[in-house]
Amino acid sequence: MLFYTGLFFLVIAVSLDGFGVGITYGMRKILVPLSALFTIMCCSGIIVLAAMSIGSALSSFISPEVAKTIGGSILIFLGLFSLYNIIRPRQENASDESSQNYLTAVLSTPDKADLDQSGSITSHEALLLGAALALDAFGAGLGASMLGYAPILTAFLIAFMSGLFVFCGIRIGIVLSKTRQLQKMTFVPPLLLIALGIFNIL
């Protein structure tokens, strides 16, 4: 039971960024068609499956105990790195923005994915957004495979939850104004990843 509880929280932690993105889109009235939502889901699922396949291959060369430690450490590192990116002061000047990784910029300012400023996310823009949302998913998938989670099940659950969170976020964003309470939710995914990593190592 604890094994599947850990899987549940891992899926939530990896997919929760999509909820914040969805809220931002909802509040700014940026439309995300079902085709774009499906593209986002496919991106997350494929990247997680690829990462877990790599992790499974690597784990076959090391002992289960070492694989478990490495997997947990990866989750902790991802959580700390995400936490650092949230806490560190945001640079306002243009030179810093130009040097920023574009996929990371999409997550911090989601409307940047709407390249043509049409107010609607097209299929190729959804591919960009899906890749941005899957950045954390790759590392988490690598760690999850070393912890013994099934690649196909994990990839499917993350793909499904990514789409569901974006969809629900959009609906909530339409009726909610921007509040400090919503901003605090950005701390939840990294803290979940850190907790999961520690739990699996211990």
Side-chain angles (χ1 to χ4, degrees):
M1 177 61 81
L2 286 176
F3 181 82
Y4 289 104
T5 301
L7 175 60
F8 172 77
F9 283 115
L10 175 66
V11 170
I12 295 294
V14 172
S15 307
L16 203 54
D17 278 344
F19 186 70
V21 169
I23 287 177
T24 301
Y25 283 172
M27 289 190 298
R28 298 186 184 184
K29 295 181 172 58
I30 297 176
L31 301 177
V32 181
L34 288 179
S35 59
L37 200 61
F38 182 73
T39 300
I40 293 170
M41 292 169 66
C42 286
C43 281
S44 297
I46 291 171
I47 289 177
V48 169
L49 188 59
M52 294 192 74
S53 298
I54 294 172
S56 295
L58 291 175
S59 62
S60 63
F61 295 101
I62 54 181
S63 67
E65 292 77 14
V66 174
K68 190 174 181 181
T69 301
I70 293 175
S73 299
I74 290 174
L75 296 184
I76 293 173
F77 173 78
L78 283 173
L80 290 173
F81 183 73
S82 298
L83 204 57
Y84 167 75
N85 284 330
I86 293 171
I87 294 174
R88 71 175 180 177
R90 293 183 179 178
Q91 302 297 325
E92 298 292 338
N93 57 62
S95 61
D96 286 338
E97 286 184 0
S98 61
S99 64
Q100 186 182 28
N101 182 290
Y102 193 72
L103 292 180
T104 306
V106 170
L107 279 182
S108 59
T109 314
D111 58 331
K112 285 186 178 180
D114 186 16
L115 300 176
D116 56 9
Q117 299 296 311
S118 63
S120 178
I121 300 298
T122 62
S123 296
H124 71 276
E125 290 170 346
L127 195 61
L128 170 66
L129 179 58
L133 289 173
L135 283 175
D136 287 344
F138 183 86
L142 196 64
S145 65
M146 294 186 175
L147 295 174
Y149 295 118
I152 294 178
L153 175 62
T154 305
F156 173 79
L157 289 175
I158 288 177
F160 175 77
M161 291 302 291
S162 294
L164 181 63
F165 276 142
V166 171
F167 179 80
C168 291
I170 291 171
R171 296 300 172 186
I172 292 174
I174 290 173
V175 296
L176 289 181
S177 59
K178 202 171 189 179
T179 65
R180 292 182 181 274
Q181 285 72 25
L182 290 176
Q183 292 175 355
K184 291 177 181 177
M185 289 188 65
T186 58
F187 289 94
V188 175
L191 291 177
L192 269 178
L193 287 175
I194 293 170
L196 281 170
I198 295 173
F199 173 78
N200 281 289
I201 289 176
L202 297 179

